[in-house]
Amino acid sequence: MSFLPAELIKKKRNGLSHSRDELQFIVNGFLNGELPDYQMSAWLMSVFFKGMDPNETAALTDIMLKSGRTLDFSNLSGLTVDKHSTGGVGDKTSMILAPIAAAAGARVPMIAGRGLGHTGGTLDKLESIPGFRINLTLEEFQEQVERIGVAIIGQTAEICPADKKIYALRDVTATVESLPLICASIMSKKLAEGIGGLVLDVKFGSGAFMKTIEAADTLAEKLMAIGSAHNKRVAAFLTNMEQPLGRFIGNTLEIGECVAILKNEAYLSVAPESFTDCRELSLELAGSMIWLSGRSTSHAEGLALAREALDSGAAWSKFQELCSAQGGDLSRLPTPRSCLEVRTEQSGFVSALNTEMIGIAAIVLGAGRLKTTDSIDSNAGIRIHKKIGEAVKEGEILYTLYASGSGDDPQVQRSRRMLLDATTISLQKTDVPDLIARRKVN
Amino acid sequence: MSFLPAELIKKKRNGLSHSRDELQFIVNGFLNGELPDYQMSAWLMSVFFKGMDPNETAALTDIMLKSGRTLDFSNLSGLTVDKHSTGGVGDKTSMILAPIAAAAGARVPMIAGRGLGHTGGTLDKLESIPGFRINLTLEEFQEQVERIGVAIIGQTAEICPADKKIYALRDVTATVESLPLICASIMSKKLAEGIGGLVLDVKFGSGAFMKTIEAADTLAEKLMAIGSAHNKRVAAFLTNMEQPLGRFIGNTLEIGECVAILKNEAYLSVAPESFTDCRELSLELAGSMIWLSGRSTSHAEGLALAREALDSGAAWSKFQELCSAQGGDLSRLPTPRSCLEVRTEQSGFVSALNTEMIGIAAIVLGAGRLKTTDSIDSNAGIRIHKKIGEAVKEGEILYTLYASGSGDDPQVQRSRRMLLDATTISLQKTDVPDLIARRKVN
């Protein structure tokens, strides 16, 4: 069916609902180049302002899913499972929980994304491992999941090509934060993986796309509804992103932190206990993945299996197996060079961190992209010395910056100022928020 | 100054105001290709939803004005004047009032536009006259205004190039109907013409961008304020667009109607008295132009001079002079071929016309563009047999369609259905609305 693109933009702009045919015309037209990107971005901004009803969201998910190939793991015993995070700052759990769950017998066919907005992306992180191939063919991907239980790749041209193209455009047109677009993008990609179960890590707070737990809950409900409609088992965690997860932001730095957690050792002189938040969240999410895969009969039992896989070193072995299966050489992981220490002029306690601003400060150093064509400096990033509730004294280090330039570099200085602006120090000690605020199952 | 485009889009999307530097970055970046069109269209849609404050609107007007050359007619005696219409369906007054005003001694340097949204454009209409050159150089334009008192050209690359590029993008991204964008676009172009006075025809109703007289009044006030700030005399007419103006829609057809009005004769068997609405509005607008040019001391006196210029044949001579000065050969104006008559199955009175839908029905026939790269069929269009308040009998013709294809053509049939949908026939006779609802002067 054919429509007038400008009239469809106008229709959404005026708050009306699209038919499935109209959505198909828009999405497929954009994908095959008949609907130019400037019309697509105007339509996306209209969706940002006017939303979509549940029928539109479901249709959009299905159209994006069917724009490409879908995988089928029904030949394997048990359900394949995956985890999806709505994105945070310093969120590196994928690289920890995927090997944990696989080591515990689950099958994890993970199609991951790149940095979006102020958050990092699993693919950018994995690519900081020399040689790591995120672009396996779907045949290689499927074979690897069957053979070692886990594979992590980027969205190939064959999987949800419509989502891939739309996602890139949203990133540079301030249309990321749209609930129906987020839901359709997440679920189309995950459903294409051929999974039987999905664990959602829906983040809220200053570093998340959802600033409040209520907004995160709404998003979780919408995602779970799409999952249920497709007969998938879905569990959702609402987790706190009022501060970065773990101690490092940046691609190589986060891989280093993951390795330290998997091996239970220090990284860049940061002791393993400093990584507790990131480790525990990874275990909880992996526990639910194990449960949904059918390898345990409850989340609690799954969590125990996850902890065993981590403590025994099985997860670390699985991560090494994953890296070498995909060509990654962990022995050649660089050690990033620090260029500036950011110190406080106040004494007291860290009471709040503007985590979105911290994420942008890392991007300014080169850890992410300001526009899609930008290249990333894998070794750029930030070490967070002080987290919420921790005491600081005048002159102490709050952050260490890692970048290729010198500390006087304008971008480094800009990042420094952003970090100081992002950090609130008070005389009274603040309670540390619970990392896992709510757990939901459908 | 440099900004992150996605952050600027987000800023407007979130309802914040831009600084002049930010607007300059956006507009000039778009003009020189550094800001891609997909970011510009997302920003434009954000402006559609969140608006602009008066300072932003004034800054945007000024930035667009200064993106190109401006003309200077200060060597001429009296003020140069122009008319601007906010756009309607069947609105062909420019081709009538410009020669009337010029014949009465005013100087009219008119830079006109193309069809926008569901409305037609003066340039598209003039181009249906074989040989008519709308692309004079600015030197030729200025010389012709000085020599014969009138010239009508398209926006050259030198005049408000930023507006030209933005206008083309708005047309295809459903971002036409934004008050600050409309105001800045209109006024930057008119101020660049070097005019001393401006008559605004601000339309309201089902065929206008402003659906209510209140909205039209607000637009008129904003435009007049920008004019005053630039020391221009501005008069505004609020005119009714609840039905098409005159009897024809389409490029060649409208030129034919203009010639009939200027010569006071029939066109395609339609008697001159059927064109009364279009003729009277043209006279009123020309009367104010004559007054603002200083050729009369009041609107009433200007109107009398306008009527004299029309009745005496001086305006018709001036139109012929205009056409031949710009290479147009009226003797070769084609006679469009009708392909379908649309008849009513009801008897009664035409009580309402969805004029926007009628405009789109004409575009569907080929009279306008669905996207910027579309070409126009000059001879396509619609004759309106019955206007509001007129009696109809079952089986009578409501519309005659003109298109290159046959009456069975899917586009012709689609247009037919739209026209029937757009026409309300009632048993009771409806009053014909006043064409000129309000007149304002600053």
Side-chain angles (χ1 to χ4, degrees):
Chain A
M1 295 190 91
S2 181
F3 300 93
L4 308 179
E7 291 300 313
L8 292 182
I9 301 169
K10 195 178 211 172
K11 184 171 184 179
K12 179 48 68 186
R13 189 201 76 185
N14 291 348
L16 303 176
S17 294
H18 287 302
S19 68
R20 189 190 162 94
D21 283 340
E22 289 174 344
L23 289 169
Q24 193 128 26
F25 176 84
I26 292 169
V27 171
N28 293 348
F30 178 56
L31 187 58
N32 67 30
E34 281 172 27
L35 187 92
D37 49 10
Y38 54 84
Q39 289 184 316
M40 190 64 180
S41 65
W43 181 77
L44 290 168
M45 188 58 86
S46 298
V47 173
F48 174 88
F49 279 104
K50 292 298 184 173
M52 280 189 165
D53 67 32
N55 287 337
E56 287 178 288
T57 310
L60 180 63
T61 305
D62 204 50
I63 291 162
M64 297 208 302
L65 169 66
K66 289 177 178 158
S67 71
R69 277 180 62 187
T70 53
L71 293 169
D72 180 6
F73 289 102
S74 56
N75 59 318
L76 297 182
S77 67
L79 296 175
T80 50
V81 287
D82 193 9
K83 181 235 38 165
H84 178 81
S85 157
T86 57
V89 176
D91 178 14
K92 53 195 74 80
T93 62
S94 289
M95 274 80 64
I96 303 165
L97 58 79
I100 290 175
R107 310 287 178 148
V108 186
M110 185 180 281
I111 297 180
R114 298 211 173 267
L116 185 62
H118 64 279
T119 70
T122 294
L123 294 183
D124 297 327
K125 293 170 194 175
L126 285 173
E127 283 191 329
S128 71
I129 302 170
F132 197 102
R133 287 175 58 214
I134 54 103
N135 57 346
L136 304 185
T137 65
L138 287 183
E139 286 67 27
E140 290 172 319
F141 178 65
Q142 178 138 4
E143 183 278 324
Q144 185 177 316
V145 171
E146 290 172 7
R147 181 163 49 83
I148 69 167
V150 58
I152 308 179
I153 59 168
Q155 214 178 325
T156 72
E158 301 151 287
I159 292 279
C160 297
D163 173 65
K164 187 170 187 169
K165 196 171 175 187
I166 294 171
Y167 186 106
L169 187 62
R170 286 167 60 205
D171 193 24
V172 292
T173 54
T175 49
V176 168
E177 303 94 329
S178 162
L179 215 51
L181 296 179
I182 289 170
C183 290
S185 173
I186 292 172
M187 295 305 291
S188 62
K189 224 157 33 186
K190 293 292 148 185
L191 293 171
E193 289 173 352
I195 48 167
L198 179 64
V199 177
L200 296 166
D201 180 7
V202 182
K203 297 188 180 293
F204 64 91
S206 66
F209 293 117
M210 301 292 146
K211 299 302 176 195
T212 65
I213 189 168
E214 292 75 24
D217 201 282
T218 303
L219 174 57
E221 289 289 338
K222 284 182 194 293
L223 292 170
M224 293 173 82
I226 300 176
S228 295
H230 285 81
N231 299 312
K232 307 301 173 190
R233 296 183 70 186
V234 185
F237 289 67
L238 307 188
T239 71
N240 189 296
M241 189 35 73
E242 291 290 355
Q243 57 182 337
L245 192 66
R247 292 289 174 170
F248 290 94
I249 305 165
N251 299 294
T252 301
L253 291 167
E254 293 191 42
I255 293 292
E257 184 174 353
C258 289
V259 169
I261 290 171
L262 287 163
K263 297 174 76 174
N264 195 35
E265 66 179 26
Y267 177 59
L268 294 178
S269 312
V270 181
E273 50 270 29
S274 295
F275 305 134
T276 302
D277 60 341
C278 186
R279 183 179 56 241
E280 290 303 312
L281 179 58
S282 302
L283 284 166
E284 288 277 351
L285 295 168
S288 270
M289 290 169 74
I290 293 163
W291 170 46
L292 296 186
S293 80
R295 299 286 160 188
S296 75
T297 56
S298 68
H299 169 75
E301 194 189 329
L303 178 57
L305 290 173
R307 202 174 292 279
E308 193 182 305
L310 182 63
D311 293 347
S312 68
W316 166 233
S317 296
K318 188 57 76 180
F319 186 65
Q320 291 175 292
E321 202 180 349
L322 168 69
C323 288
S324 70
Q326 296 190 222
D329 184 353
L330 284 168
S331 71
R332 292 198 290 127
L333 191 73
T335 303
R337 196 180 63 80
S338 66
C339 66
L340 188 73
E341 290 171 340
V342 180
R343 292 170 190 271
T344 176
E345 297 180 349
Q346 292 170 271
S347 294
F349 297 89
V350 176
S351 60
L353 293 171
N354 180 333
T355 308
E356 179 169 349
M357 199 185 288
I358 294 172
I360 295 172
I363 292 177
V364 164
L365 290 173
R369 294 173 194 80
L370 296 173
K371 53 182 193 292
T372 39
T373 51
D374 284 349
S375 60
I376 280 185
D377 176 358
S378 281
N379 294 325
I382 297 169
R383 173 182 163 193
I384 302 127
H385 291 254
K386 302 290 180 181
K387 295 183 70 171
I388 293 175
E390 294 186 20
V392 293
K393 275 190 218 132
E394 189 190 329
E396 262 195 306
I397 303 173
L398 293 177
Y399 303 97
T400 302
L401 307 194
Y402 296 80
S404 54
S406 84
D408 299 333
D409 200 88
Q411 293 303 79
V412 174
Q413 286 296 319
R414 184 166 165 225
S415 180
R416 175 183 166 274
R417 284 191 301 275
M418 292 179 80
L419 288 168
L420 287 173
D421 284 348
T423 310
T424 307
I425 293 171
S426 308
L427 291 178
Q428 293 225 306
K429 190 169 174 358
T430 310
D431 286 340
V432 183
D434 283 343
L435 186 54
I436 298 176
R438 204 172 289 171
R439 191 182 288 122
K440 303 162 74 84
V441 184
N442 75 354
Chain B
M1 296 190 92
S2 183
F3 301 93
L4 305 179
E7 291 300 313
L8 292 183
I9 299 169
K10 195 177 208 169
K11 185 172 182 176
K12 180 47 67 185
R13 188 201 77 184
N14 291 347
L16 304 176
S17 293
H18 287 302
S19 66
R20 189 189 162 95
D21 284 340
E22 290 173 346
L23 289 168
Q24 193 128 27
F25 176 83
I26 293 167
V27 172
N28 292 348
F30 178 57
L31 188 57
N32 66 31
E34 283 172 27
L35 188 92
D37 48 10
Y38 55 82
Q39 289 185 314
M40 190 64 180
S41 65
W43 180 78
L44 290 168
M45 188 57 86
S46 298
V47 172
F48 173 87
F49 279 104
K50 293 297 184 173
M52 280 189 165
D53 66 32
N55 287 336
E56 287 178 288
T57 311
L60 180 63
T61 306
D62 203 51
I63 291 163
M64 298 207 302
L65 171 65
K66 289 178 178 156
S67 71
R69 275 179 65 184
T70 52
L71 293 169
D72 180 5
F73 288 103
S74 55
N75 59 316
L76 297 182
S77 67
L79 296 176
T80 50
V81 287
D82 194 8
K83 182 240 29 169
H84 178 81
S85 157
T86 58
V89 175
D91 178 14
K92 54 196 74 81
T93 62
S94 289
M95 273 81 64
I96 303 164
L97 58 78
I100 290 176
R107 311 286 179 147
V108 186
M110 185 179 281
I111 296 180
R114 296 210 174 268
L116 185 62
H118 63 280
T119 70
T122 295
L123 295 182
D124 297 326
K125 294 169 194 175
L126 285 173
E127 283 190 330
S128 70
I129 303 171
F132 197 102
R133 287 175 57 213
I134 56 103
N135 58 346
L136 304 185
T137 65
L138 287 183
E139 286 67 27
E140 289 172 321
F141 178 65
Q142 180 139 3
E143 183 278 325
Q144 184 176 318
V145 171
E146 291 173 7
R147 182 163 49 84
I148 70 169
V150 59
I152 308 179
I153 60 169
Q155 215 178 323
T156 73
E158 303 149 287
I159 292 278
C160 297
D163 173 66
K164 185 169 187 169
K165 196 170 175 188
I166 294 171
Y167 185 106
L169 187 62
R170 285 168 60 207
D171 192 23
V172 291
T173 55
T175 49
V176 168
E177 303 94 328
S178 162
L179 213 52
L181 296 179
I182 289 170
C183 290
S185 174
I186 292 172
M187 294 307 290
S188 63
K189 224 157 35 186
K190 293 293 150 186
L191 293 171
E193 289 174 351
I195 48 168
L198 179 63
V199 176
L200 297 166
D201 181 5
V202 182
K203 297 188 179 295
F204 64 92
S206 67
F209 294 116
M210 301 292 145
K211 300 300 176 195
T212 65
I213 189 168
E214 293 74 23
D217 201 283
T218 302
L219 173 57
E221 290 288 337
K222 285 183 194 291
L223 292 170
M224 292 173 84
I226 299 176
S228 295
H230 285 81
N231 299 313
K232 307 299 174 194
R233 295 183 73 183
V234 184
F237 288 67
L238 306 190
T239 70
N240 190 296
M241 188 35 74
E242 292 290 356
Q243 58 182 338
L245 192 65
R247 291 288 174 171
F248 290 94
I249 305 167
N251 298 294
T252 301
L253 291 167
E254 292 191 42
I255 293 292
E257 184 173 354
C258 289
V259 168
I261 290 171
L262 287 164
K263 295 173 79 173
N264 196 34
E265 65 180 26
Y267 177 59
L268 295 177
S269 311
V270 182
E273 50 271 30
S274 295
F275 307 134
T276 302
D277 59 342
C278 185
R279 182 179 59 241
E280 290 304 310
L281 179 58
S282 302
L283 285 167
E284 287 278 351
L285 295 168
S288 269
M289 290 170 74
I290 294 164
W291 168 46
L292 296 186
S293 79
R295 300 284 158 190
S296 75
T297 55
S298 68
H299 168 75
E301 193 189 329
L303 178 58
L305 290 172
R307 203 174 292 279
E308 192 183 307
L310 182 62
D311 293 346
S312 68
W316 166 234
S317 297
K318 186 58 77 178
F319 185 65
Q320 291 174 293
E321 200 178 352
L322 168 69
C323 289
S324 71
Q326 296 191 220
D329 184 354
L330 282 168
S331 71
R332 292 199 290 127
L333 191 74
T335 302
R337 195 181 65 79
S338 66
C339 65
L340 189 72
E341 289 172 341
V342 180
R343 291 170 191 272
T344 176
E345 298 181 350
Q346 292 170 269
S347 294
F349 297 89
V350 176
S351 59
L353 294 171
N354 181 334
T355 309
E356 179 168 349
M357 199 184 287
I358 295 173
I360 295 172
I363 293 177
V364 164
L365 290 174
R369 293 173 195 81
L370 296 172
K371 52 182 194 293
T372 40
T373 51
D374 285 349
S375 61
I376 281 184
D377 176 359
S378 280
N379 294 326
I382 297 168
R383 173 180 162 194
I384 303 127
H385 291 252
K386 301 290 180 181
K387 296 184 69 169
I388 294 176
E390 294 186 19
V392 293
K393 274 190 221 137
E394 191 191 328
E396 261 195 307
I397 303 174
L398 293 177
Y399 303 97
T400 302
L401 307 194
Y402 296 80
S404 54
S406 85
D408 299 333
D409 200 89
Q411 293 302 80
V412 174
Q413 285 297 320
R414 185 163 167 229
S415 180
R416 175 184 167 275
R417 284 192 300 275
M418 293 179 79
L419 288 168
L420 286 174
D421 284 348
T423 309
T424 308
I425 293 170
S426 307
L427 292 178
Q428 294 227 305
K429 189 168 171 9
T430 310
D431 286 342
V432 183
D434 282 343
L435 187 55
I436 298 175
R438 206 170 287 171
R439 192 181 287 120
K440 303 163 73 83
V441 185
N442 75 356

